[in-house]
Amino acid sequence: MNASTLAEPGSRVATTPLPRTPDLHESDPRRMRQTLRDYFTSTFDRYESLFETLAVDAAWYEPPITLRHPLIFYYGHTATFFVNKLLLTRLIEERIDPHLESVFAVGVDEMGWDDLDDTHYDWPGIAEVQAYRDKVRALVLRLIDEAPLELPIGWDHPWWAIVMGIEHERIHLETSSVLIRQHKLAYVKPHPAWRPCMQSGEAPENTLVKVPAGAVALGRDISSATYGWDNEYGRHAAEVPAFEASRQLVSNREFLAFVDDGGYVQPEYWDEEGNGWREFARAAHPTFWRRSADGWRLRLLTEEVAMPWDWPVETNYHEAKAFCRWKSARSGLPVRLPTEDEWYRLYAESRRGAPHGEAPDANLNLAHWASSCPVNRFAQGEFFDVAGNAWQWTETPIYPFEGFQVHPIYDDFTTPTFDGRHNLMKGGSWIATGNEAEAASRYAFRRHFFQHAGFRYVVSKHLKPAPASHYETDKLLSEYAEFHYGDSYFGVPNFSQALAELAIAARGDAPKRTALDLGCASGRATFELARHFDHVTGVDFSARFIGQGVALARGDSLRYLLQDEGELVEYKSRSLAELGLADTAAKVEFWQGDACNLKPQFGGYDLILAANLIDRLYNPAQFLETIHERLNPGGLLMIASPYTWLTEHTPRADWLGGFKKDGESFTTLDGLDAILGAHFERLGDPREVPFVIRETRRKFQHTLSEVSLWRRRV
């Protein structure tokens, strides 16, 4: 399909602002269905219209930057997200296209500026992805029109997945627009729904405004009437000392003084991480600035224009922080970026006297243009652009509010960013819509990341450290950290180590080249297998779990808290060196994945370990029927499971055993024999391997897992 054969520009999309995130406490089901239908279609339409700015097929398949997938991925990703989440809430029971839903499942988190991903992907054609999106559109609209609906819609409501999918696509509307802006100019073309602001003039002088001391109280609760991501829930309160803040966002003109003064070549203005990025990127000016014979120009979404000096400069965190250090050195004042708490004080002051709940007049929500605009265009109290125009970097790494909990159908939305390396941005940009445009939203990105983001500065001697962001106090994560890497209890050997030893013994003298630890959780068996295999891949559905293995593999210690009794805890720490596994780190890799719908790249293994996995799969038979395709002939499959079948994980109709069949007991082993017998021979009788999970100092789970070994027929 040629790019020019997409829908005609503007064919589905209007130039009016997108609807704001809806009130989910609507009491009339008919109105609620219509509201969500409008919210979904306007989002889906506007997202597709964004990709109509791509001028040639190469624009879909060449990544705009090396750290991200090509745009064809993001065009399919947001649609597959709907299917994957609707499956988890049981609003649907079947996939639309398992292959595409695997290919488009997980994106790239830009963890480091030098994290180059050279993995080869065989991307589908544009027409195929468009046809898939059309099917997802029809599916979601059918659900909105026909699925049972009880109001209100809250955090644990099945329809939360529908709203989540819409808000997720709105996030990618913005992040994809940044990638398009980073693409070659020859790869894009103007579009009537994506016209930039045409206003520009002399940049106003920036001045300081006093912000009085005050309190902030942040955090949603589950009774909130609008959608929120997990990091917005919980409680945080603080007293914020008085400070001064710049009246406007820093303009291109104001930032030019830093560039002209050699700010990019003076390392004293940059911290260690910032200097590392600056030297690697060879940065000499903001990424969207262009030098020309006629002077500076600015790259917009689909064109370059003469530099609008009164628009906000767009930088990453490192550039914003370096500017503040430069300005502090020149002025003698303690100039820095605001904290998240200080931004909320700014927001409160900017809304003083405004009707409660009324949205500020701002370059926000695509209400005006497909670009920034002059920094003195939208007054908000004594300030301009506290909300809107460009995101504003803060000094605060994202952290969990007290009472934070992950959402069960998206457990890795925020937790991978609780690492002290993702800083919050506040206020939203011209393309921030839905939840992004809400003051309560909390979005954080790596400090070298580029977004439609700029900054304002504050003057204050007070800089209270943010609460700790490294999140290893989660009870389940801590229990699994101890289960995998901690002490043994009651004389029961480490479960992962015991399974690995059984697998190695069963493999004997056969080749031990590659192994797959499927459902690897925190990854101990992955490392144990790597004692003997050349390379081991750990895959788990939960990014939170594999994050522990990733941390250990890069040389970090795993630190976690264990509950003793009540509020008393025990502090634990483990490293690979302590466990005699340091030499295995270079032989392992970890991926997030769905065992029932693995990407094609996972294949050619001599051993596959599926430990305590099959009774947690939504379709275990589908997994078993195809797993032979990923093993080499003669390869081994080891299955370990306590066979704890629960309908919350596996629909009753899909249990492998544990029920009566034709009047006789039908065990899970019977089910395994029936399915695996087509491609495997079972090696002997199964055996029981015990394991113990510590809950508190005096409470433990003692479980027996049945282990069976299967050799793929040659």
Side-chain angles (χ1 to χ4, degrees):
M1 178 180 185
N2 187 283
S4 64
T5 63
L6 284 172
E8 286 296 314
S11 59
R12 273 180 166 167
V13 67
T15 56
T16 55
L18 287 176
R20 289 188 171 271
T21 190
D23 180 356
L24 301 177
H25 285 190
E26 167 63 60
S27 59
D28 185 319
R30 182 186 58 79
R31 285 199 299 266
M32 187 77 266
R33 290 181 192 273
Q34 187 59 52
T35 296
L36 288 181
R37 174 178 255 275
D38 293 343
Y39 198 53
F40 169 74
T41 54
S42 63
T43 304
F44 222 68
D45 289 349
R46 184 60 68 95
Y47 191 70
E48 293 186 351
S49 82
L50 177 65
F51 287 78
E52 292 167 11
T53 64
L54 301 181
V56 293
D57 285 359
W60 293 83
Y61 296 101
E62 290 183 22
I65 58 174
T66 55
L67 297 169
R68 309 302 266 182
H69 282 315
L71 285 159
I72 189 69
F73 169 85
Y74 299 101
Y75 198 56
H77 171 66
T78 57
T80 64
F81 184 92
F82 278 101
V83 174
N84 289 330
K85 300 311 176 187
L86 292 170
L87 279 166
L88 292 175
T89 58
R90 306 287 170 77
L91 277 174
I92 62 174
E93 297 294 335
E94 295 180 351
R95 294 188 173 277
I96 293 176
D97 187 321
H99 173 67
L100 292 184
E101 284 146 13
S102 172
V103 169
F104 292 137
V106 181
V108 177
D109 180 22
E110 187 178 345
M111 296 305 294
W113 56 81
D114 54 354
D115 286 349
L116 305 182
D117 182 8
D118 58 2
T119 304
H120 173 72
Y121 293 90
D122 185 15
W123 299 111
I126 303 168
E128 182 181 0
V129 181
Q130 183 61 58
Y132 177 79
R133 284 187 60 87
D134 292 343
K135 292 176 183 177
V136 172
R137 177 192 291 266
L139 168 67
V140 175
L141 288 176
R142 185 170 68 252
L143 289 174
I144 292 173
D145 291 344
E146 301 174 6
L149 174 60
E150 294 183 7
L151 296 175
I153 297 172
W155 166 282
D156 56 357
H157 195 290
W159 282 49
W160 194 259
I162 296 176
V163 188
M164 179 183 284
I166 301 170
E167 295 291 353
H168 173 261
E169 187 159 70
R170 289 195 173 207
I171 293 173
H172 279 280
L173 179 71
E174 176 151 10
T175 57
S176 296
S177 75
V178 177
L179 292 176
I180 290 172
R181 192 176 178 187
Q182 292 173 312
H183 232 329
K184 300 173 184 176
L185 198 58
Y187 281 8
V188 297
K189 60 186 178 183
H191 189 290
W194 298 96
R195 295 189 178 100
C197 176
M198 303 301 290
Q199 302 171 13
S200 180
E202 287 298 316
E205 181 183 356
N206 215 346
T207 56
L208 293 171
V209 178
K210 294 183 183 298
V211 179
V216 294
L218 310 179
R220 295 178 183 265
D221 59 40
I222 58 173
S223 64
S224 174
T226 56
Y227 180 88
W229 295 103
D230 55 7
N231 59 50
E232 300 166 32
Y233 290 84
R235 300 168 303 283
H236 169 73
E239 294 291 332
V240 181
F243 61 96
E244 293 180 286
S246 62
R247 189 180 302 275
Q248 296 135 197
L249 300 179
V250 173
S251 67
N252 287 312
R253 174 66 71 186
E254 189 173 7
F255 197 84
L256 178 65
F258 170 71
V259 176
D260 287 347
D261 199 35
Y264 277 86
V265 296
Q266 299 183 60
E268 63 267 27
Y269 299 137
W270 306 74
D271 60 19
E272 182 179 359
E273 183 184 338
N275 267 311
W277 168 80
R278 178 180 61 86
E279 292 171 1
F280 179 87
R282 299 178 180 176
H285 53 76
T287 193
F288 296 121
W289 286 22
R290 301 287 187 268
R291 292 185 187 271
S292 75
D294 299 326
W296 288 104
R297 297 178 67 79
L298 183 66
R299 170 63 190 267
L300 304 181
L301 186 66
T302 63
E303 60 188 292
E304 285 182 7
V305 298
M307 180 64 72
W309 293 112
D310 58 344
W311 288 18
V313 68
E314 291 153 309
T315 69
N316 64 22
Y317 167 89
H318 297 308
E319 294 166 302
K321 189 173 182 69
F323 174 93
C324 290
R325 285 179 169 171
W326 169 83
K327 192 168 184 66
S328 184
R330 293 294 180 271
S331 66
L333 298 173
V335 179
R336 59 170 172 80
L337 297 173
T339 65
E340 182 184 31
D341 289 345
E342 287 169 338
W343 182 86
Y344 277 106
R345 286 292 301 125
L346 278 166
Y347 186 78
E349 290 298 306
S350 75
R351 303 304 295 149
R352 187 181 295 277
H356 179 71
E358 180 182 282
D361 186 20
N363 187 13
L364 196 65
N365 206 53
L366 286 170
H368 299 280
W369 310 281
S371 73
S372 300
C373 69
V375 295
N376 58 353
R377 173 66 174 78
F378 289 98
Q380 297 162 8
E382 291 190 69
F383 297 93
F384 292 86
D385 297 330
V386 175
N389 214 7
W391 288 96
Q392 300 162 53
W393 284 105
T394 75
E395 284 287 3
T396 307
I398 191 169
Y399 64 93
F401 288 160
E402 182 182 349
F404 166 84
Q405 56 182 317
V406 299
H407 196 280
I409 68 169
Y410 200 175
D411 71 347
D412 58 335
F413 177 77
T414 305
T415 49
T417 67
F418 289 154
D419 59 3
R421 297 184 292 175
H422 289 71
N423 276 47
L424 285 155
M425 302 189 308
K426 308 299 292 186
S429 74
W430 53 269
I431 195 175
T433 68
N435 172 266
E436 283 189 309
E438 298 289 304
S441 69
R442 304 179 78 219
Y443 293 89
F445 295 93
R446 283 297 301 270
R447 293 185 274 267
H448 61 274
F449 190 91
F450 286 104
Q451 187 61 276
H452 305 297
F455 64 101
R456 66 172 7 99
Y457 47 85
V458 301
V459 173
S460 174
K461 296 179 180 179
H462 306 281
L463 180 56
K464 184 179 179 181
S469 61
H470 190 65
Y471 192 72
E472 290 294 356
T473 58
D474 179 278
K475 186 174 186 293
L476 185 61
L477 282 178
S478 296
E479 288 177 359
Y480 265 75
E482 180 70 1
F483 175 42
H484 279 239
Y485 302 103
D487 300 330
S488 296
Y489 299 95
F490 309 111
V492 176
N494 180 278
F495 181 65
S496 299
Q497 193 173 22
L499 293 182
E501 290 172 355
L502 285 174
I504 297 303
R507 193 68 183 148
D509 296 330
K512 301 179 184 68
R513 293 160 298 200
T514 58
L516 174 64
D517 182 8
L518 199 49
C520 66
S522 299
R524 176 64 181 272
T526 307
F527 292 111
E528 292 290 344
L529 290 170
R531 292 182 189 268
H532 301 273
F533 281 81
D534 297 334
H535 189 79
V536 185
T537 300
V539 174
D540 198 89
F541 190 76
S542 171
R544 294 196 298 153
F545 282 138
I546 61 175
Q548 296 182 335
V550 169
L552 287 165
R554 68 171 175 246
D556 296 347
S557 290
L558 184 59
R559 297 181 175 90
Y560 54 98
L561 301 179
L562 289 178
Q563 185 179 4
D564 274 358
E565 56 178 283
E567 296 178 351
L568 303 179
V569 297
E570 178 182 357
Y571 294 83
K572 300 292 290 283
S573 177
R574 286 290 188 275
S575 68
L576 291 184
E578 293 175 81
L579 300 168
L581 292 166
D583 292 341
T584 67
K587 299 166 66 178
V588 304
E589 63 176 350
F590 292 94
W591 291 79
Q592 185 184 11
D594 178 354
C596 293
N597 196 32
L598 284 175
K599 292 181 182 293
Q601 71 201 61
F602 298 114
Y605 297 104
D606 296 319
L607 170 75
I608 295 178
L609 169 62
N612 294 353
L613 174 70
I614 60 169
D615 56 358
R616 291 297 180 267
L617 299 179
Y618 58 85
N619 194 336
Q622 176 182 318
F623 163 71
L624 295 171
E625 287 166 355
T626 59
I627 194 63
H628 67 280
E629 298 170 359
R630 303 182 185 275
L631 270 171
N632 293 324
L636 288 184
L637 169 66
M638 173 184 276
I639 295 177
S641 175
Y643 307 147
T644 309
W645 297 105
L646 298 170
T647 55
E648 65 188 81
H649 300 300
T650 313
R652 170 62 182 79
D654 293 320
W655 292 4
L656 297 179
F659 49 80
K660 293 285 187 179
K661 182 177 181 181
D662 300 326
E664 301 294 333
S665 296
F666 192 82
T667 68
T668 302
L669 186 60
D670 293 330
L672 291 173
D673 282 332
I675 296 174
L676 293 177
H679 299 284
F680 292 87
E681 59 174 319
R682 176 151 58 88
L683 303 182
D685 294 327
R687 61 184 296 175
E688 291 182 340
V689 177
F691 63 88
V692 172
I693 296 179
R694 180 196 188 278
E695 293 188 28
T696 69
R697 180 178 288 277
R698 297 174 182 84
K699 184 181 180 184
F700 299 81
Q701 300 176 31
H702 181 271
T703 309
L704 297 177
S705 185
E706 186 171 88
V707 178
S708 55
L709 283 159
W710 310 79
R711 179 185 291 123
R712 182 185 171 185
R713 293 193 174 94
V714 178

